[in-house]
Amino acid sequence: GAQERLAAGGFYSGRVDGAFGPGTKSAIINAAAFVKDNSYGKVVFDLSSTDGATRFLTALTAGDLDKYLWGEGDEAEGG
């Protein structure tokens, strides 16, 4: 799930329990900002909307954001 992926990326250090608490919220916000920075602004999620938050969590759990979360990002492709 999302907490496991956030923990693996170093964004979440709480108990992996599936509950959406302040630690999970903070981890999502920080991970989304990291993805934005690591993609040079090409991958942006509007977390203030339900649709944007859902798209982020779906992409996160599907592994679609792995290249940005694990620090390679677009710089591995020359930007």
Side-chain angles (χ1 to χ4, degrees):
Q3 286 179 328
E4 291 92 350
R5 305 223 30 105
L6 291 164
F11 298 98
Y12 180 72
S13 60
R15 189 168 58 107
V16 176
D17 57 9
F20 186 87
T24 303
K25 180 179 179 179
S26 177
I28 289 169
I29 291 168
N30 291 329
F34 186 84
V35 167
K36 179 181 176 183
D37 290 345
N38 210 20
S39 70
Y40 297 106
K42 295 177 189 172
V43 181
V44 180
F45 295 91
D46 177 10
L47 298 180
S48 67
S49 74
T50 300
D51 181 60
T54 299
R55 286 188 325 102
F56 175 77
L57 291 171
T58 299
L60 174 70
T61 56
D64 296 341
L65 303 176
D66 286 359
K67 81 174 194 174
Y68 303 109
L69 291 173
W70 310 144
E72 295 173 11
D74 280 344
E75 68 267 16
E77 299 170 2

